[in-house]
Amino acid sequence: MTYLCNQPDMFVEEMIQGFAAAHRDLIIAVNGGVVRRRQAEPGQVVVIIGGGSGHYPAFGGLVGPGLVHGAAMGNVFASPSAQQIYDVALAAYAGGGIILCYANYAGDVLNFNQAQARLQAQGIDVRAVVVTDDIASAPLAERQLRRGIAGALPVFKVAAAAADSGESLDEVCRIANEANARVRTLGVAFSGCTLPGAQQPLFHVEHGKLAVGMGIHGEPGLYQQDALPADDLAEMLVKKLLQDISPTGDLPKGTRISVLLNSLGSVAQEELFVVYRKVDQLLHSRGLTIVEPVVDRVITSFDMAGISLTLFWLNDELETYWKAAADTPAFKRGTILRSEPATEAVLIPQVAVASQPVTVGSPASQRIAAIILEIFASAKQIIEAQQEELGRLDAVAGDGDHGIGMLRGVSAALDAAKKAHDAQAGAGTLLTLSGEAWAARAGGTSGALWGVILNTFGVKLGDTTAPDTATVAGSVAAALCEVMQRGKAQPGDKTLVDVLQPFSAALDQASARGISVVTAWQDAADIANTAAQQTRNLLPRIGRARPHAEKSIGTPDPGAISLAMIITVASEVIRKHCP
C-alpha cells in the first residue's frame, strides 16, 4: 500500500514540489507539470508528454536533455487537464512547433485534443502522436484502440532525440509514429495497487495466481492463471509479443531489437534480472540482436507487484535516436554536457485557472446564480459522502479514482462559484467559471466532460433572465450534444451519456407540455436515477473499462451514478427556492 501521504487530495501537488526540489538542476516546475530547466534552442521542435501521476518515472522523470521537453502531470491515475497541458506546452515552446505525445486513454485524448486546439488557435503548429503498444487491450485488427503503457518510452525517446537533432516538425511526427508502429508490450501482475489514502488495492489477485493483461491504472487483468516460475513467465511474454508482431511468431534473423523489462512498482530489480536472463536467451536463440536494453522501472502503478515486457524492433534511423545520449531524473544514457540554465527554478504547486472577467448579472440572474451556488454546495456534500462508493464502482473495471476526481472537481467548482457570486455574477458566468475550475482541478475524462457540461449550460443560460423550462431543456440538450461530440460516447456505451440523454429527453417533453421548471426537473431527475441504475446491465464500449467489459456487468457506471446524484440534489434545491 501507499504509506506516506498527508492529505490524499494534495498528494500530487506535494509530490511535484518534492520532485522539482530534488532535481532542480534538470527541471523547472510550472503550472501543470515540469519542463526542462534549460530551454530548447530557438526554432526547435519540442516534445510534450503527459498523463496521470502514480507512474514514476513516467511522466515527469523523463524530462531533460535528450528526452522530452515537458510533462503535464495529472492527478493520481487521471489525465492532466487541458489547462495543465496548455500551460506546460507554452512554457516549453521554442518556436518550432509542438509534438504532443501521450498514451491512448479516453481522458488523455480528450484533454490533449482540447489543449491542441487552444494552441493551434494561437497560431502554433501542433501535432499529436498517440501511443498504442499494449497488446492485451485490443486485437491487432483494432490496434488504434490499444492503450499505451511502457512502450511509450521508446516513442518519447526517439521523438525527443529527433527534435534535439534539429529535425522538422513533420519529420519528428513521422519518426514518432514509426516508433509506435514498432513497439509491443504485455504486462502481468501478482497484486493490485493501492491509491494514496486507500486501505485496499484496486483489484485482488488470488495467492498463487497471475493476472495477465492488467493496466497501469489498476485495471484488472483480462484473466488470471496459475503463477509461473520466472523462466516460464519470460517464455510466455516473449511468445505472445512475437506472435503479435509476426504471424509466424518470429522476426527475421539479424533483426535489431530493444527490450524493456519494467517493474510496475514493488517487483525488485534483482527479480527483473532473473527474468531478463531468460528473455535475453530466448531472443538471442532466435537470431535477434538486442540493442540498449532497459531493465528498470519505466512506467509504474504505485506499489503494484507486476512486470511488463516491451519489444521495440529497430531500423537504422530509430536505432540512432534510441541510442542517443539523454540526461533526465530517471533515464540517463551516455554523456550530455550541461550548460548553465538561464532561469531559476519556480515551484507552482497549484493549477491556475485562466481568469475571466466577471459579468455582473441582472437581479433575476443573480437570484438564479445564488440557487446554483447552493446546488454546488449540496453536490459537494453528497460526493464527499459517496466518494468511497464511487471509487469502489470505478475499481470494478477501471482505476478507482472517480470519487477522488469528482470531489476535487466539485470542490473547485464551488470555490469558483462563491467568488463569482461575491462579484455579482449572473447565472451563466457563474456556471462557466465553475466549469473551468472543475475541469482544471479534476482532470481526467469526467473532469473534462463536467467542464463541458457546465460551460455549455452557462453559455445557454446567460446573465440576464431567469430561465423557463424551454431554456433549461435547451441548455441540457446543448450540453448533451457537446459531451457526445467531444467524448465520442453514444447512448448504450455505459457512460454518463446514458443518464444525460434520457434526462434531456424528459426535459424536452416537459417543455413541450408547458410544465414548470420545478416539476420538470424533479420528474426528469427520477428518470435520471433509473437510467443510472440501468447502466449495470450495459457492456462498456469505450474507455478504460472496455477491455474488461464482462467484469462490469452488474455494476452501474460510476460517472452515470455521480451525475444522477448531482441532478437529484439540484432538484431538491430548486424545489426549495422556486414556486
Side-chain angles (χ1 to χ4, degrees), residues 80 85 108 115 131 143 302 396:
I85 299 161
D108 293 287
V131 181
R143 191 165 163 267
F302 269 114
V396 170

Side-chain angles (χ1 to χ4, degrees), residues 80-121:
S81 69
Q83 182 70 46
Q84 289 178 286
I85 299 161
Y86 174 84
D87 287 344
V88 171
L90 277 187
Y93 179 56
I98 298 172
I99 296 285
L100 299 178
C101 195
Y102 50 94
N104 191 27
Y105 295 93
D108 293 287
V109 172
L110 182 58
N111 284 291
F112 272 92
N113 280 348
Q114 289 184 14
Q116 182 175 358
R118 287 183 61 185
L119 292 162
Q120 289 173 331

Side-chain angles (χ1 to χ4, degrees), residues 190-398:
F190 302 95
S191 75
C193 60
T194 306
L195 296 179
Q199 300 303 311
Q200 298 294 329
L202 291 178
F203 67 90
H204 177 71
V205 180
E206 294 180 34
H207 179 70
K209 297 291 185 179
L210 175 71
V212 179
M214 36 48 63
I216 58 169
H217 302 95
E219 301 97 328
L222 298 181
Y223 61 91
Q224 293 189 15
Q225 66 171 61
D226 290 339
L228 299 171
D231 283 2
D232 292 345
L233 178 56
E235 287 193 35
M236 183 190 81
L237 293 172
V238 168
K239 181 179 178 180
K240 288 181 179 294
L241 290 171
L242 288 176
Q243 285 175 338
D244 196 86
I245 294 169
S246 168
T248 64
D250 277 305
L251 288 168
K253 291 186 185 304
T255 298
R256 297 176 70 78
I257 190 167
S258 191
V259 181
L260 286 77
L261 186 60
N262 169 53
S263 169
L264 285 154
S266 63
V267 171
Q269 193 79 22
E270 291 89 344
E271 295 175 274
L272 291 182
F273 289 135
V274 172
V275 176
Y276 183 75
R277 158 192 152 275
K278 186 62 175 180
V279 170
D280 184 87
Q281 292 172 4
L282 291 167
L283 295 176
H284 277 117
S285 71
R286 286 168 166 80
L288 306 179
T289 300
I290 299 175
V291 179
E292 298 282 1
V294 176
V295 183
D296 206 345
R297 286 174 173 81
V298 174
I299 183 166
T300 59
S301 185
F302 269 114
D303 59 338
M304 183 183 288
I307 65 171
S308 67
L309 180 67
T310 300
L311 299 183
F312 176 38
W313 68 103
L314 303 161
N315 58 27
D316 291 343
E317 180 180 50
L318 293 176
E319 182 173 346
T320 296
Y321 292 129
W322 174 242
K323 293 167 66 175
D327 186 12
T328 80
F331 187 93
K332 299 183 186 296
R333 175 172 290 163
T335 302
I336 290 181
L337 296 177
R338 297 189 187 181
S339 301
E340 285 300 314
T343 55
E344 292 297 319
V346 178
L347 298 179
I348 306 177
Q350 297 288 343
V351 175
V353 178
S355 60
Q356 176 178 324
V358 173
T359 300
V360 175
S362 69
S365 187
Q366 287 188 42
R367 286 193 294 274
I368 301 302
I371 293 172
I372 296 170
L373 174 60
E374 188 173 334
I375 290 172
F376 278 126
S378 297
K380 181 181 177 181
Q381 290 179 354
I382 189 66
I383 295 299
E384 200 163 25
Q386 296 298 318
Q387 177 185 349
E388 185 174 339
E389 173 63 9
L390 292 172
R392 186 192 69 79
L393 295 177
D394 194 30
V396 170

